[in-house]
Amino acid sequence: MSAATLEFRNVSKRYPGAGEPAIEDLSLSVPAGEICVLVGPSGCGKTTAMRLVNRMIEPTGGDILLDGRSVLERKPAELRRDIGYAIQQIGLFPHQTVAENIATVPKLLGWERDRITARTDELLELIGLDPHEMRDRFPSQLSGGQRQRVGVARALAADPPLMLMDEPFGAVDPINRERLQNEFLRLQGEIGKTIVFVTHDIDEAIKMGDRVAVLQKGGVLAQYATPADLLMAPASPFVEDFVGADRALKRLALQRVRDIDLWRAPIVQVGQTVAEARAAIADSDLPYPLLVDAERRPLGWLSERALLGERVTDDLRSRAAPIVEMDDILRDALSDLLAHETQYGPVVDAQGRVTGVLSVEVISHALAANAPSVPSASERVE
Amino acid sequence: MNDFADAIEFIFTSRESNTGGVQVGGSQLLDLLWKHLEISAVSMLLAILVAVPLGLLIGHTGRGAFLAQFIANAGRAVPSLALIAFFVAYIGVGFTNVTLALVLLAIPPILGNTYIGVRQVDPGVVDAARGMGLTEMQVLRTVELPLAVPTMFGGIRNSAINVVATATIAPLAGVVTLGDPIINASVYGDAGRLGAAIVVAVLAVLAEFLFAALQKRATPRGIRSQDRRAQQVRPSSRKAPVTP
Amino acid sequence: MSFVLAQVQLRDRSQGTCESRNGFCPDWIADNWENYVDPAVRHALLVGLAVLFGFAIAFGLALLAHRRRGLVGPITAITGVLYTIPSLAFFLVLLPVTGRGITTAVIALTAFTLLIIFRNIMLGLDNVPEEAVDAAAGMGMTERQVLWKVELPLAVPEIVAGLRVAATTSVGLAALAFFAGAGGLGGEIYADLTFKSNIVVAGGLCLLLAALFDAIFVAVERLLTRWQRAVAT
């Protein structure tokens, strides 16, 4: 898996006849393997800056270096085949199957058919779609979330050292967007590409970026820093304003459920003796027993009546919702808890098995304990 | 090129016919022209009177859409010659019969385009109109009709050209139009035949420009710059074709 | 009229009472249908050639206009005039230049189809979703690759629609091709304008031919656009 470095060096873009330049003297450097998020208000030039990298827009001044080599020296079409490109409207080819769409760049590069097929199947699995089912479907047969994922797979197909992504999750509803973001971060943990990610949503920027570049109108770089620095030390009133008055709360986006100490869950199964059940409860951090199935998947919170007889019954007081995942960021987990009007919820791993209990108390405790320092980029994604 | 020179001369100078006894060419052409325009205009008028209301109705209510589409599609394929011949064979010769044939020829494009014109109106606009309390008739008259005019006019334009063209073979049915020198070339001579052809061609192009200008005039100012794409030709199972 | 009749057989009406009554005579049709075959084939040939050449020319024009939008106006204007000129007049105007025969007819018919086909190709190209083109270019396709791999395939429905209209309308126009000495079903109609059976058969064959061309193009479109009919699961 290869990752390149990217450098903007005094880049400017001025359109003929326009009063103000779209981008003026932008310089920033993206280390290999990092996600650099370009964020800013409408019209700040973030999409323009991204499109300058693969020369969909030509710079009028300055240079852009990919792995130290100027992009201006290369032929545009050839350059672009080396850069993954995922846009907001996705742009899947309606007349081609999923597999054909994904195979676009490998075909342009002249890969052999077997290699392409293998790569396509690999990518489909990587994005969570069953190759056999999905490879011959047409875009019109996919849901919005599926299309988005295929778009990302298509951008990854030729294993480019750099990826450009323009609001790639923008066209999806908030629930699925969250899921896609988590999946993508998990993916990035595996493949470690250099990514330039454009968004207008500061929360997404904080969640996704290893480094965040806040742009003002005219492509002016207001601050280029890690999300933590952005939240705790905004460089100017503009940045402070843009990040939002709730930046203390936004710190909740910096940690994941797996990063903090959870309460131990009082796990109980149907058919266990009540004595065993009471022992499990005593051994945990919570007096309310959680009923699970044979695979340790949460079924619901037990009522008192379930423990009245000899053995545990499945008399539930309430369902297990919300079920929190280990990879959820604290902000989303807290928001789920509040939405369900409950103080705590079971936490499950990738297979759906209970690993602990999350509560509002746990979160605030973790925040207080971790006040000045937050996990580094590499620790945040497992 | 001599032929063309002769033809031009025919258009402007009167001379005796090949068969003798009659003056042809020059100002005599004006009589033919007049007849040509007369039958074209009458046919167009009648066709519009029939096709436009029908098209508006079908477009507005959505019922009978298949009929409109079928007529528009099938009408395109009917050879004008066959139509005239059919009327000659089954009904006979004469102004009325030819007019009838021409009306039938002119209806399909007008009907099809009017129907599409109404269908193409933004449903949101129609909905808003209804919601504001306009009756169905008012919606049709004040909202759908004006917005459908450009497309509808495209159909009228197309029909007009077809009618003018087909009126050329009206002499086969006993109506002496500009096509007479072509059908009865022995009387008029080669120069006459070519001359008449040129006049018909010019007439058609002029009619086209005229209707194009009328179309622009009749288009509500607010949507004037809008897509001429809306007038594209596309037969499909979904829509009746819009003839250019 | 002699030049027209010279290439057309007079209908033989001497055979029975049905014909002399000038009714609709199935027997006569059964006996004489072979006479219509050659003209029908000729008719189909004229239309086929016209659409073929029309497509070739219009396609070239569209490719030019796709790069240079300024050309769309002039091309539309010129092909528009060619479309407007009544085909009969066109045939006759060409006669002194290209003589009698298939050539003249095909030239005029081809000229007629240009506007329809050109406009529809342009419409098809214009209707290609912008994001697909952007993605294609951004992924590294050259302009030509974007055109042939993405834009044209997605424009197929509109293009075929144009061909359908061009073909079916040309069938009607080709009925007048005999004025140019090119034969066709029109000649049959003209040979005996008052005989009902003749009109019905010849006219009916025209409609049949139009339906045939229509069906062929529909089939072509279905073949090329499997993706449009994919049902969302």
Side-chain angles (χ1 to χ4, degrees):
Chain A
M1 299 285 174
S2 51
T5 59
L6 180 71
E7 189 189 337
F8 282 80
R9 206 180 269 179
N10 304 106
V11 175
S12 64
K13 174 66 187 175
R14 188 180 280 274
Y15 287 101
E20 301 290 314
I23 307 253
E24 189 163 23
D25 201 32
L26 177 67
S27 293
L28 64 83
S29 199
V30 185
E34 283 199 1
I35 301 181
C36 165
V37 179
L38 301 180
V39 69
S42 237
C44 68
K46 52 194 190 291
T47 302
T48 308
M50 187 198 88
R51 286 163 71 90
L52 285 169
V53 176
N54 67 351
R55 293 178 66 184
M56 291 296 276
I57 300 177
E58 296 281 359
T60 45
D63 203 355
I64 299 176
L65 305 170
L66 183 63
D67 260 346
R69 196 174 153 213
S70 165
V71 301
L72 298 173
E73 280 169 26
R74 299 165 73 170
K75 282 218 180 89
E78 184 258 315
L79 167 73
R80 292 169 192 160
R81 290 173 205 180
D82 243 2
I83 300 178
Y85 187 60
I87 56 178
Q88 186 173 6
Q89 311 91 324
I90 314 169
L92 291 183
F93 305 139
H95 62 299
Q96 291 185 340
T97 61
V98 165
E100 286 165 348
N101 263 282
I102 295 179
T104 307
V105 181
K107 266 200 216 142
L108 288 176
L109 292 173
W111 288 17
E112 296 129 22
R113 184 162 346 154
D114 291 337
R115 190 176 168 205
I116 295 181
T117 314
R119 178 67 175 159
T120 309
D121 288 345
E122 180 191 341
L123 284 166
L124 280 168
E125 282 188 16
L126 206 60
I127 59 173
L129 297 175
D130 176 20
H132 289 295
E133 218 194 302
M134 300 305 248
R135 57 187 346 264
D136 290 322
R137 289 229 190 133
F138 287 101
S140 60
Q141 297 171 294
L142 304 178
S143 71
Q146 287 172 329
R147 268 181 241 164
Q148 214 95 33
R149 281 186 255 170
V150 172
V152 172
R154 188 174 66 168
L156 285 171
D159 200 19
L162 172 71
M163 292 260 291
L164 301 177
M165 305 179 78
D166 185 3
E167 312 244 25
F169 310 130
V172 165
D173 62 273
I175 299 173
N176 277 307
R177 187 180 317 151
E178 203 181 298
R179 214 189 300 162
L180 286 172
Q181 287 168 342
N182 292 343
E183 281 176 20
F184 184 77
L185 286 173
R186 207 170 2 223
L187 195 62
Q188 169 68 347
E190 282 179 54
I191 60 181
K193 295 219 169 286
T194 311
I195 301 179
V196 173
F197 189 108
V198 170
T199 179
H200 68 280
D201 180 4
I202 187 65
D203 289 320
E204 188 173 45
I206 291 174
K207 178 173 177 178
M208 305 292 289
D210 292 317
R211 246 171 253 262
V212 176
V214 180
L215 296 177
Q216 277 178 268
K217 188 154 181 292
V220 171
L221 189 59
Q223 187 169 2
Y224 183 42
T226 61
D229 286 338
L230 205 66
L231 288 175
M232 289 188 288
S236 71
F238 172 81
V239 178
E240 201 176 322
D241 211 28
F242 189 75
V243 168
D246 57 341
R247 54 190 173 87
L249 282 180
K250 284 191 158 70
R251 282 171 47 211
L252 286 173
L254 297 175
Q255 282 180 288
R256 289 172 190 283
V257 173
R258 65 169 69 247
D259 297 329
I260 62 175
D261 294 324
L262 301 170
W263 281 346
R264 283 167 301 173
I267 295 182
V268 165
Q269 286 188 336
V270 168
Q272 278 183 308
T273 62
V274 168
E276 283 174 328
R278 293 213 183 274
I281 293 170
D283 204 28
S284 71
D285 295 315
L286 191 69
Y288 311 112
L290 177 66
L291 186 68
V292 301
D293 63 11
E295 267 96 54
R296 241 177 108 100
R297 285 197 283 255
L299 297 170
W301 300 99
L302 281 179
S303 70
E304 275 301 310
R305 287 192 300 276
L307 298 177
L308 285 181
E310 269 283 317
R311 294 199 174 261
V312 177
T313 62
D314 61 359
D315 191 343
L316 295 177
R317 177 162 50 85
S318 63
R319 290 185 310 139
I323 296 182
V324 179
E325 293 180 21
M326 292 287 271
D327 284 326
D328 281 348
I329 54 175
L330 288 186
R331 182 197 68 204
D332 296 340
L334 179 60
S335 148
D336 277 346
L337 288 178
L338 295 176
H340 282 82
E341 293 178 5
T342 174
Q343 290 243 355
Y344 44 83
V347 179
V348 300
D349 61 13
Q351 281 73 39
R353 297 188 295 247
V354 175
T355 58
V357 169
L358 180 72
S359 71
V360 178
E361 204 182 307
V362 167
I363 294 177
S364 62
H365 192 77
L367 277 183
N370 288 332
S373 79
V374 286
S376 68
S378 54
E379 286 173 40
R380 270 194 296 131
V381 179
E382 247 162 276
Chain B
M1 292 304 113
N2 277 334
D3 297 315
F4 286 99
D6 290 339
I8 304 292
E9 211 206 319
F10 176 88
I11 297 176
F12 291 106
T13 17
S14 197
R15 82 286 300 282
E16 195 169 328
S17 75
N18 287 3
T19 51
V22 182
Q23 287 291 356
V24 294
S27 52
Q28 185 254 353
L29 282 178
L30 286 177
D31 293 330
L32 301 180
L33 177 64
W34 172 246
K35 202 66 179 186
H36 201 109
L37 290 175
E38 190 190 355
I39 200 168
S40 302
V42 171
S43 310
M44 278 305 295
L45 217 59
L46 289 175
I48 291 177
L49 282 175
V50 170
V52 169
L54 196 60
L56 289 176
L57 191 67
I58 297 181
H60 180 76
T61 61
R63 272 174 278 164
F66 181 71
L67 184 69
Q69 285 166 341
F70 177 74
I71 291 179
N73 273 328
R76 244 206 327 266
V78 172
S80 51
L81 179 64
L83 199 58
I84 299 280
F86 187 82
F87 273 74
V88 168
Y90 277 84
I91 305 185
V93 300
F95 190 91
T96 326
N97 303 332
V98 175
T99 307
L100 206 55
L102 288 178
V103 168
L104 284 184
L105 188 75
I107 286 180
I110 303 179
L111 181 64
N113 273 37
T114 306
Y115 165 73
I116 288 196
V118 175
R119 284 328 263 174
Q120 264 178 178
V121 174
D122 186 353
V125 173
V126 176
D127 195 58
R130 281 207 187 101
M132 289 193 288
L134 273 68
T135 65
E136 290 305 302
M137 201 51 187
Q138 285 170 328
V139 171
L140 186 56
R141 228 173 359 103
T142 58
V143 176
E144 288 178 319
L145 179 54
L147 291 175
V149 156
T151 315
M152 186 177 82
F153 240 94
I156 294 179
R157 224 167 106 183
N158 191 281
S159 276
I161 305 306
N162 285 347
V163 165
V164 166
T166 309
T168 315
I169 56 175
L172 289 174
V175 177
V176 183
T177 65
L178 278 173
D180 204 36
I182 298 173
I183 307 292
N184 295 313
S186 47
V187 176
Y188 295 78
D190 281 356
R193 195 179 68 204
L194 188 54
I198 295 176
V199 174
V200 168
V202 171
L203 182 65
V205 175
L206 284 179
E208 163 79 5
F209 281 137
L210 175 68
F211 275 92
L214 281 177
Q215 181 174 13
K216 204 172 266 182
R217 268 301 190 74
T219 306
R221 190 165 293 142
I223 57 174
R224 245 181 223 168
S225 59
Q226 229 168 63
D227 269 344
R228 263 167 294 121
R229 286 184 206 169
Q231 301 166 35
Q232 283 325 307
V233 195
R234 39 184 321 188
S236 71
S237 53
R238 299 185 299 277
K239 304 199 271 195
V242 178
T243 31
Chain C
M1 289 221 283
S2 55
F3 79 97
V4 166
L5 293 179
Q7 25 119 21
V8 146
Q9 289 171 299
L10 280 171
R11 297 284 122 248
D12 182 3
R13 280 218 254 172
S14 59
Q15 280 169 327
T17 51
C18 173
E19 291 79 27
S20 27
R21 254 191 306 113
N22 191 17
F24 178 69
C25 314
D27 291 328
W28 180 89
I29 294 174
D31 287 336
N32 285 279
W33 67 271
E34 286 137 354
N35 295 330
Y36 293 95
V37 171
D38 274 341
V41 169
R42 170 64 62 87
H43 203 110
L45 182 71
L46 291 174
V47 174
L49 286 177
V51 172
L52 194 67
F53 293 139
F55 180 62
I57 299 174
F59 192 74
L61 290 174
L63 288 188
L64 271 176
H66 189 54
R67 292 288 179 84
R68 278 178 233 124
R69 286 285 147 154
L71 290 177
V72 173
I75 293 179
T76 307
I78 295 176
T79 55
V81 170
L82 294 176
Y83 174 84
T84 304
I85 296 176
S87 53
L88 183 52
F90 214 129
F91 290 143
L92 293 175
V93 166
L94 280 178
L95 269 188
V97 182
T98 49
R100 293 182 47 212
I102 299 185
T103 319
T104 304
V106 170
I107 293 178
L109 290 173
T110 304
F112 169 82
T113 63
L114 290 178
L115 175 68
I116 304 172
I117 304 179
F118 171 75
R119 239 195 204 172
N120 268 42
I121 299 178
M122 294 311 295
L123 178 70
L125 289 175
D126 285 342
N127 278 355
V128 171
E130 253 179 56
E131 57 263 19
V133 174
D134 188 71
M139 286 192 289
M141 288 195 204
T142 61
E143 239 183 85
R144 182 185 286 190
Q145 284 169 325
V146 174
L147 179 68
W148 288 92
K149 289 183 187 227
V150 178
E151 292 181 293
L152 284 175
L154 288 174
V156 162
E158 265 83 354
I159 296 178
V160 174
L163 291 173
R164 269 172 80 184
V165 176
T168 48
T169 341
S170 295
V171 168
L173 295 180
L176 295 167
F178 70 94
F179 274 99
L185 287 168
E188 299 306 303
I189 297 178
Y190 195 73
D192 198 342
L193 276 176
T194 53
F195 185 22
K196 291 181 182 134
S197 302
N198 179 39
I199 307 298
V200 169
V201 172
L205 279 175
C206 279
L207 291 177
L208 203 66
L209 212 54
L212 204 68
F213 273 107
D214 204 59
I216 291 177
F217 283 118
V218 169
V220 166
E221 188 190 339
R222 297 204 93 124
L223 221 68
L224 295 176
T225 59
R226 222 177 16 114
W227 53 273
Q228 271 200 325
R229 289 182 307 285
V231 174
T233 47

